[in-house]
Amino acid sequence: MIKRLLTSVCDLDQFVRLHQLGFVAVWPLLGLAAVTDWSPMTVAGLLTVSLFFNTYGVLLDDAMHLDVDRRDPLRANRWLVRGTVTQRQALAVALVQLPLMVGAHFAAGFTVGALPCLLGAVVGQGVYDLYGKRCRVPPLMEAAEAAAALLLVVYGAMATGSATNLLVWLTAGAGAAFILLVNAFHGSLRDIAFEIACHQRTTPIWLGCRGVQDGAVHISTAMSAYAGVWQVALIGLSLAVISQAGSPDDRSRLAVIAAGVAALGNAGLFVLLHRVRKPAWDVLMRLHVTILVLPLMLAFTPRLGPSRAGLLLLVYFAPTLLTAHYWLDRTRGHVAGSRAASAADARMPLPEQDLTPGLSGHDLDLRRLVNEHRCPSDRQPQAARLDREA
């Protein structure tokens, strides 16, 4: 019974990404905390709007990239991929979230003046979902989603009619830096071998990353510099919030220490992700993503107080804990996939006749990478040939 319930939760999570809710809800909640005290009705309203916003973004993105997702074995169990939900139905559910967001906004008693920020965030998220991996300059589309995070912070601040202040804009900048870092460095590097094979356009590919080589994720110097800028910006903005978020008392000093330790942890993991190989890379990557916002949340502790700060941490971390065993299974899938790829390397050397004369060493490595990690539909004929030869 419990196992069946967990399976149903995981299926629903794969459809609407419940585990991501904290990464969305944290921004309007921090925007609210930057200008006024929390009330149960206001927090509930922002959480509801965040739930609808997250569902909208996820389903629109999945529907737009269904042809690619169908080739990915790690997405084979999703309702949309296996046909439990059609592409048209997913789009319809995504669009239904828009009136639901507006309805939740007014039901919570939020001001009309905050609504343009919410609608602007919807547009930014929609632009990214539609063109995110099709644009010739991927950071431009990632900037659209970063703008959505920024606007969610401002929306949370304006929802109760309060005026924005420096603390709001520092937090909004941190939200944008978070999205720019996570989209480029974590999400795109995680799936880079598959996305190279399926001719997607992402920031790591655009900046010269060549995928996974001998179990190591290749991170180009340009990619390290680009991601490093946003990592430093996120840490710097998080620490700058401390000077605006509370008075210089014992609680504030404790928050400074905790935020500083969390920031050092973020920096250390960022460096470590340049050193470790898969599957350890996948585990550390998820840990890094999860604690990226921790310094910023700790910086708000003097302003929120212990109980509200605890609630903020619960909102952020609880959704990820609900589906922890699913992510463990996915990590095991990455391990199995890495082992299968290693076994395939020994059996499937790149035929010399497939190479174009005059290729440089860099191009040769890229061709080999694409051959080793090509989409499943492209590998089937070659696998059948190998079976006949065996």
Side-chain angles (χ1 to χ4, degrees):
M1 180 67 180
I2 295 178
K3 185 176 181 180
R4 183 179 300 175
L5 177 61
L6 289 175
T7 300
S8 299
V9 170
C10 286
D11 286 343
L12 180 61
D13 173 71
Q14 291 181 67
F15 184 57
V16 296
R17 310 295 199 286
L18 293 174
H19 67 273
Q20 290 182 184
L21 179 58
F23 295 102
V24 176
V26 67
W27 302 116
L29 287 177
L30 287 177
L32 175 67
V35 294
T36 187
D37 290 334
W38 287 3
S39 70
M41 184 64 180
T42 305
V43 171
L46 290 178
L47 286 176
T48 304
V49 170
S50 298
L51 175 63
F52 295 144
F53 184 91
N54 181 64
T55 303
Y56 155 77
V58 164
L59 291 183
L60 182 60
D61 182 73
D62 284 356
M64 291 297 100
H65 297 91
L66 181 58
D67 57 333
V68 175
D69 289 347
R70 281 173 173 162
R71 303 176 184 180
D72 189 351
L74 293 176
R75 294 177 169 88
N77 289 327
R78 290 184 180 177
W79 288 345
L80 190 57
V81 173
R82 69 189 192 212
T84 304
V85 176
T86 67
Q87 185 179 40
R88 181 174 296 181
Q89 289 170 338
L91 281 172
V93 175
L95 295 177
V96 164
Q97 306 308 306
L98 302 181
L100 289 177
M101 273 185 265
V102 175
H105 172 90
F106 287 114
F110 296 153
T111 63
V112 175
L115 198 56
C117 292
L118 177 61
L119 298 180
V122 167
V123 171
Q125 183 65 53
V127 168
Y128 174 78
D129 289 343
L130 292 173
Y131 304 107
K133 295 181 180 179
R134 296 175 179 140
C135 179
R136 292 186 179 275
V137 185
L140 292 178
M141 294 299 99
E142 291 170 0
E145 189 173 33
L150 184 150
L151 287 170
L152 283 178
V153 175
V154 181
Y155 167 72
M158 296 179 63
T160 56
S162 302
T164 59
N165 53 31
L166 178 59
L167 183 56
V168 171
W169 293 111
L170 289 173
T171 307
F178 171 80
I179 293 297
L180 289 167
L181 175 60
V182 169
N183 271 354
F185 189 79
H186 301 87
S188 295
L189 279 177
R190 177 195 62 201
D191 300 326
I192 186 170
F194 177 79
E195 289 176 340
I196 286 176
C198 295
H199 310 293
Q200 298 294 284
R201 291 171 175 165
T202 65
T203 296
I205 298 172
W206 185 65
L207 291 177
C209 297
R210 298 195 299 270
V212 182
Q213 301 173 334
D214 298 326
V217 179
H218 176 260
I219 304 175
S220 67
T221 302
M223 183 69 240
S224 296
Y226 178 83
V229 167
W230 299 121
Q231 175 68 90
V232 170
L234 180 57
I235 291 175
L237 288 167
S238 300
L239 297 180
V241 163
I242 294 175
S243 63
Q244 299 290 324
S247 57
D249 54 15
D250 290 340
R251 184 186 295 172
S252 179
R253 284 190 287 270
L254 184 60
V256 170
I257 294 172
V261 171
L264 287 175
N266 279 336
L269 284 174
F270 180 76
V271 173
L272 199 57
L273 284 169
H274 287 73
R275 305 290 183 184
V276 300
R277 296 172 177 266
K278 285 177 172 284
W281 191 93
D282 295 295
V283 176
L284 291 179
M285 178 271 295
R286 295 195 187 283
L287 176 61
H288 191 222
V289 170
T290 303
I291 69 170
L292 275 175
V293 188
L294 189 56
L296 183 64
M297 291 191 291
L298 291 172
F300 270 88
T301 300
R303 191 177 187 90
L304 289 171
S307 60
R308 292 188 178 94
L311 176 61
L312 179 64
L313 292 172
L314 182 65
V315 168
Y316 184 75
F317 286 109
T320 62
L321 296 177
L322 288 173
T323 56
H325 75 99
Y326 160 69
W327 292 112
L328 180 60
D329 289 342
R330 179 163 183 174
T331 300
R332 289 170 179 166
H334 279 297
V335 174
S338 299
R339 290 174 178 170
S342 298
D345 289 344
R347 298 178 58 197
M348 293 189 294
L350 190 66
E352 294 183 2
Q353 60 269 25
D354 287 347
L355 300 179
T356 302
L359 283 177
S360 65
H362 173 84
D363 291 330
L364 176 62
D365 291 341
L366 181 58
R367 182 71 64 85
R368 184 181 298 276
L369 175 70
V370 173
N371 184 69
E372 291 170 356
H373 297 281
R374 62 180 59 181
C375 298
S377 59
D378 298 332
R379 295 187 67 139
Q380 289 175 359
Q382 187 174 17
R385 177 178 60 80
L386 289 171
D387 290 341
R388 289 197 300 271
E389 291 176 356

